[in-house]
Amino acid sequence: MVFVKAQKSKAYFKRFQVKYKRRREGKTDYRARIRLINQDKNKYNTPKYRFVVRFTNQDIIAQIVSASIAGDIVMAAAYARELPRYGLEVGLTNYAAAYCTGLLLARRVLKMLEMDDEYEGNVEATGEDYSVEPAESRRPFRALLDVGLIRTTTGNRVFGALKGALDGGLDVPHSDKRFAGFSKDSKQLDVEVHRKYIYGGHVAAYMTTLMEDEPEKYQSHFSEYIKKGLEPEGLEEMYKKVHAAIRADPTVKKSEKQPPKEHKRYHLKKLTYEERKARLIERLNALNAAGAGDGDEDEDDE
Amino acid sequence: MPAGHGLRSRTRDLFARPFRKKGPTPLSIYLRTYKIGDYVDVKVNGSIHKGMPHKFYHGRTGRVWNVTKRAIGVEVNKQVGNRIIRKRIHVRVEHVQPSRCHEEILQRIKRND
């Protein structure tokens, strides 16, 4: 038995300072969060909205969030899982889907605030940099992009979602440096390339290459596309239809859920404060009644 | 050579963060709003280096007279010689807490209304 010197003593644990819970989970970057949430004090209670974009393995989450001491409040949210409702069934986490999700969120928020007629945004998605112009009556809805913990490289899908929101009519301060198609050498956004990505052109190109070179890999990789009968040439048309469908009806559809099943209680249900007080009064009354009956002589000697 | 009387002299313990509370500051500090006329306590947060008041004001309570982008103007009493002067300082919000000295009066007002 090898003698191993104990590494973490009781003193170590006594002095150990845990990081914040969400930092331990690796989910929140507090340094960035402080700077995103901090509102100018001379703006008092005016909320500062964040445009939060997060990617999971099979979904894209886009939300408009404002912070409060009790907890963050989500004003509106859009998920890539809602896109089948608008006609997009496959490829729910690619750049084009991110664009659709951002667009859906923007139209949803504007519709909620009844600003959707004033701020149409960019209806025809070209790839070029578009910023909302303030209309006469109300100023555009401003939110700040919150990327979370991802590495902000050029062509990242977060910026696809950002482009969707911008074209939807939100005012998000940005630069075109990180859109897909920005070339570091010429320091310019190649609009054609960006447009290709928005309409899934990069996916279509890969599909055609695989079809020619490696048909088996094509079958396995794009099996869902083949099942739905999607050809590389038809992708752009499909995305155009999805954009139009999103603009037509961005409202949230509530899914019907059955009320949760009643399960048998294996332990006693916890009583509420009032129930416990009532029970105590009952027991005292019972005791007093019993006591009055038994020991009338002892009452005065108490 | 002598010790020197710089701005932050003799503040080794005063400005130190409490045990196991070092590092990032909680976000609720940034979400609080202050209005002119509120009472606030000045308590220095040693990890935020900007907008720190002088060590004299640590632990003092005063009223808000100004609100700027990231800081609050606080009016604090200071005894200078044989008189008390109302001094106006600007402090970043991380070094300020809402004071409870006025809480009882506000509750009484609410009850009486």
Side-chain angles (χ1 to χ4, degrees):
Chain A
M1 185 52 198
V2 182
F3 179 72
V4 182
K5 187 165 174 187
Q7 290 287 77
K8 291 196 212 159
S9 66
K10 191 163 162 191
Y12 167 83
F13 288 113
K14 280 188 161 202
R15 298 193 61 82
F16 186 77
Q17 178 185 341
V18 281
K19 298 188 167 44
Y20 288 156
K21 181 165 107 141
R22 287 215 116 212
R23 169 66 191 86
R24 277 179 273 140
E25 292 169 1
K27 289 184 184 171
T28 305
D29 172 6
Y30 278 98
R31 186 165 184 273
R33 188 173 151 87
I34 286 183
R35 284 155 178 76
L36 279 169
I37 283 180
N38 204 355
Q39 173 68 292
D40 298 353
K41 291 296 151 233
N42 43 12
K43 292 187 186 161
Y44 299 100
N45 275 322
T46 317
K48 200 167 191 181
Y49 295 106
R50 299 181 291 140
F51 170 47
V52 171
V53 185
R54 298 283 186 270
F55 289 87
T56 69
N57 279 340
Q58 270 122 24
D59 198 1
I60 307 178
I61 303 169
Q63 299 171 318
I64 300 279
V65 186
S66 70
S68 85
I69 295 187
D72 284 1
I73 303 172
V74 178
M75 204 170 125
Y79 300 86
R81 290 213 168 266
E82 297 178 39
L83 291 176
R85 187 179 142 207
Y86 298 98
L88 179 64
E89 263 128 35
V90 281
L92 292 178
T93 53
N94 59 26
Y95 196 97
Y99 180 91
C100 295
T101 313
L103 178 64
L104 175 57
L105 178 67
R107 295 315 295 168
R108 203 168 265 181
V109 167
L110 290 177
K111 187 149 194 160
M112 230 165 75
L113 298 169
E114 279 150 36
M115 290 207 282
D116 53 348
D117 300 315
E118 285 169 57
Y119 291 104
E120 286 285 326
N122 201 3
V123 186
E124 171 72 36
T126 63
E128 65 180 47
D129 196 10
Y130 170 81
S131 300
V132 197
E133 260 118 62
E136 299 91 42
S137 45
R138 290 164 78 166
R139 283 178 298 132
F141 183 82
R142 177 158 240 201
L144 305 173
L145 180 66
D146 179 348
V147 290
L149 289 156
I150 62 133
R151 188 76 185 84
T152 50
T153 50
T154 316
N156 197 309
R157 296 172 290 168
V158 230
F159 301 110
L162 171 64
K163 188 79 180 99
L166 291 170
D167 286 352
L170 292 189
D171 177 17
V172 185
H174 65 284
S175 96
D176 54 359
K177 190 166 104 155
R178 290 295 176 201
F179 287 137
F182 185 85
S183 132
K184 254 201 324 190
D185 315 314
S186 75
K187 299 241 191 314
Q188 265 192 341
L189 176 64
D190 189 343
V191 176
E192 277 309 307
V193 174
H194 197 204
R195 189 183 178 287
K196 222 170 64 116
Y197 270 76
I198 292 176
Y199 285 113
H202 56 307
V203 180
Y206 188 49
M207 278 168 92
T208 47
T209 336
L210 274 191
M211 273 202 293
E212 288 157 18
D213 298 339
E214 292 173 73
E216 303 93 43
K217 193 163 169 198
Y218 175 72
Q219 297 291 329
S220 72
H221 205 84
F222 287 104
S223 57
E224 288 289 317
Y225 282 71
I226 296 170
K227 242 193 271 183
K228 299 275 171 15
L230 290 170
E231 300 283 310
E233 297 82 25
L235 282 187
E236 180 166 329
E237 267 306 306
M238 180 184 73
Y239 281 112
K240 280 214 180 90
K241 285 210 206 92
V242 175
H243 296 335
I246 289 177
R247 279 181 183 275
D249 179 25
T251 51
V252 188
K253 189 173 90 141
K254 281 217 125 213
S255 58
E256 289 95 42
K257 280 194 226 170
Q258 294 93 10
K261 244 173 39 162
E262 287 284 320
H263 293 284
K264 175 174 158 207
R265 273 194 177 276
Y266 290 99
H267 55 259
L268 294 173
K269 188 164 177 197
K270 229 172 141 178
L271 300 176
T272 67
Y273 180 65
E274 285 97 26
E275 284 171 2
R276 276 182 272 145
K277 269 209 324 206
R279 244 172 132 219
L280 180 63
I281 294 176
E282 267 174 45
R283 277 163 62 193
L284 282 178
N285 286 338
L287 267 177
N288 284 339
D294 288 340
D296 249 322
E297 310 97 52
D298 299 336
E299 289 267 331
D300 304 289
D301 295 343
E302 237 306 307
Chain B
M1 52 180 275
H5 305 290
L7 189 61
R8 286 181 62 171
S9 76
R10 307 166 195 185
T11 58
R12 175 179 183 172
D13 292 323
L14 189 64
F15 286 179
R17 297 287 289 136
F19 182 56
R20 288 198 300 164
K21 293 230 164 61
K22 301 199 208 274
T25 51
L27 275 268
S28 54
I29 303 221
Y30 298 94
L31 293 171
R32 291 211 192 95
T33 56
Y34 298 95
K35 299 214 298 285
I36 296 182
D38 286 351
Y39 284 96
V40 292
D41 300 332
V42 174
K43 187 170 170 219
V44 173
N45 179 340
S47 61
I48 310 286
H49 304 140
K50 289 193 166 194
M52 256 199 213
H54 184 259
K55 66 174 187 278
F56 168 81
Y57 299 102
H58 180 92
R60 309 278 159 187
T61 306
R63 300 191 81 155
V64 178
W65 65 277
N66 187 17
V67 176
T68 68
K69 221 165 84 137
R70 300 268 180 249
I72 310 254
V74 187
E75 203 174 41
V76 179
N77 289 338
K78 181 174 186 182
Q79 179 176 9
V80 180
N82 61 345
R83 68 204 192 284
I84 299 184
I85 300 182
R86 294 216 302 259
K87 300 212 65 170
R88 298 188 147 193
I89 54 170
H90 280 99
V91 187
R92 270 204 175 212
V93 293
E94 295 93 328
H95 308 293
V96 149
Q97 287 170 350
S99 180
R100 296 188 58 189
C101 64
H102 206 52
E103 187 180 293
E104 201 214 88
I105 298 174
L106 292 172
Q107 282 178 349
R108 221 172 65 195
I109 294 174
K110 225 191 268 180
R111 251 185 292 137
N112 290 338
D113 275 345

